Amino acid sequence: MLRAVEIAANGPARGVNPQVGCVILAADGSILAEGWHRGAGTPHAEVDALSKLAAGEANGATAVVTLEPCNHTGLTGPCSEALIAAGVSRVVYGVSDPGDHSSGGAARLREAGVDVAGGVLLAETTARLGDWLPAARLKRPVVTVKWASSLDGRAAAADGTSQWITGPEARADVHARRAASDAIGVGTGTVLADDPSLSARFADGGLYETQPIPVVFGARETPTDAAIRRGTHEPIFATGGDLAAELRALHARGIRSLFIEGGPTLASAFIAAGLADEVLVYLAPAILGGPRTAIGDVGITTIDDALRLSIESVETLGDDLLVVATLKKKP
């Protein structure tokens, strides 16, 4: 299974489908073939591995795969049927497939008389699936809401100036997290006020090899010469107003992770809607006062209704603090 996890990394880290690896073993435990998934529309890992064997060579073999074999026909056929047809006698997998349409492969294999064992090296196989797995379970991207503020919770001074509240180390961390995200989201207010490029950059201005897709939330028109229109990816304009529906649409496009950069109105809307899976707060050792708070109204009118957080980590970045937290589930 560790070898299957290793070769799964050969597949694309982004897109609709996950990174999956498969190793096919002979009865004596020797490796007959290996395979991995190369992206949407290409053979899944199990079929890729089987394609390297001669007819009948997989009879009585064991297939070790990081994700439960699928049981549906999409751009490719069901892997469960391919394994059955090849004569595989045992299938060992890590993570159960959470898909409404793709799950059920283990049950189909058992129905056909194949010995099946799941949950093997669950931590390692789960880690390889990355954001794909929670996004598949949620049926939307995993959402991180980020803001930077002074210690008194202000995102800007009274005159609107905000560059820079935090220092270079914190800003570098933000850009690394941008590069690791499939998409980066802002509201139309931020686009109109700041004209951000929403790119992931190094301190010297150079671009990361991987860039997030810009997503603009809101109904206001974005100028044709806006900086986001000149980046690596064409921006997506989420104009519908229903955040949950917009997230489902983004997931359908293969976006697994969404990094919300602001401004306060958009960040507050995601938090109020219960759609913030992770919160990143960069705190600068400064006091600004004034009305420009980092977060606006989230629908809380009394202390009993406060949204409580679980602090996952606190890290020092230069002079600043990074607090990583998740929203607690209400009983």
Side-chain angles (χ1 to χ4, degrees), residues 211-289:
Q211 292 290 319
I213 299 170
V215 181
V216 181
F217 292 86
R220 284 185 286 179
E221 191 70 27
T222 298
T224 57
D225 61 348
I228 59 167
R229 296 183 183 272
R230 303 192 297 270
T232 304
H233 302 287
E234 285 289 328
I236 296 171
F237 296 98
T239 61
D242 183 334
L243 291 182
E246 297 290 0
L247 289 181
R248 290 192 295 270
L250 292 176
H251 187 247
R253 299 176 73 145
I255 293 175
R256 309 172 188 172
S257 56
L258 176 63
F259 192 72
I260 298 297
E261 278 272 11
T265 300
L266 185 65
S268 302
F270 270 92
I271 291 172
L275 295 172
D277 302 299
E278 181 181 61
V279 173
L280 303 181
V281 184
Y282 295 84
L283 288 172
I287 294 175
L288 291 175

Side-chain angles (χ1 to χ4, degrees), residues 150 152-160 287-294:
S150 58
D152 59 338
R154 268 55 181 183
D159 65 355
I287 294 175
L288 291 175
R292 297 182 179 270
T293 57

Side-chain angles (χ1 to χ4, degrees), residues 90-190:
R90 187 165 188 251
V91 172
V92 177
Y93 68 89
V95 179
S96 296
D97 191 320
D100 290 337
H101 304 294
S102 55
S103 61
R108 174 68 187 104
L109 289 164
R110 292 189 181 100
E111 182 183 86
V114 178
D115 180 27
V116 180
V120 176
L121 291 187
L122 192 57
E124 292 84 352
T125 51
T126 297
R128 171 50 59 202
L129 291 170
D131 286 327
W132 179 88
L133 185 59
R137 289 169 174 165
L138 292 167
K139 298 176 177 56
R140 62 166 176 78
V142 176
V143 176
T144 296
V145 175
K146 164 261 174 183
W147 66 83
S149 75
S150 58
L151 282 182
D152 59 338
R154 268 55 181 183
D159 65 355
T161 55
S162 61
Q163 295 183 339
W164 297 103
I165 290 178
T166 55
E169 294 87 353
R171 297 198 297 274
D173 186 77
V174 169
H175 281 273
R177 291 175 186 271
R178 285 185 179 188
S181 300
D182 290 340
I184 179 170
V186 294
T188 52
T190 295

Side-chain angles (χ1 to χ4, degrees), residues 272-314:
L275 295 172
D277 302 299
E278 181 181 61
V279 173
L280 303 181
V281 184
Y282 295 84
L283 288 172
I287 294 175
L288 291 175
R292 297 182 179 270
T293 57
I295 290 294
D297 183 16
V298 293
I300 303 300
T301 57
T302 178
I303 193 65
D304 291 338
D305 294 333
L307 298 174
R308 300 294 180 178
L309 303 175
S310 295
I311 303 299
E312 305 297 332
S313 65
V314 178

Side-chain angles (χ1 to χ4, degrees), residues 78-92:
C79 292
S80 55
E81 297 297 343
L83 292 166
I84 293 166
V88 168
S89 64
R90 187 165 188 251
V91 172
V92 177

Side-chain angles (χ1 to χ4, degrees), residues 63-75:
V64 180
V65 60
T66 53
L67 180 66
E68 177 187 4
C70 69
N71 193 45
H72 83 305
T73 299
L75 295 176

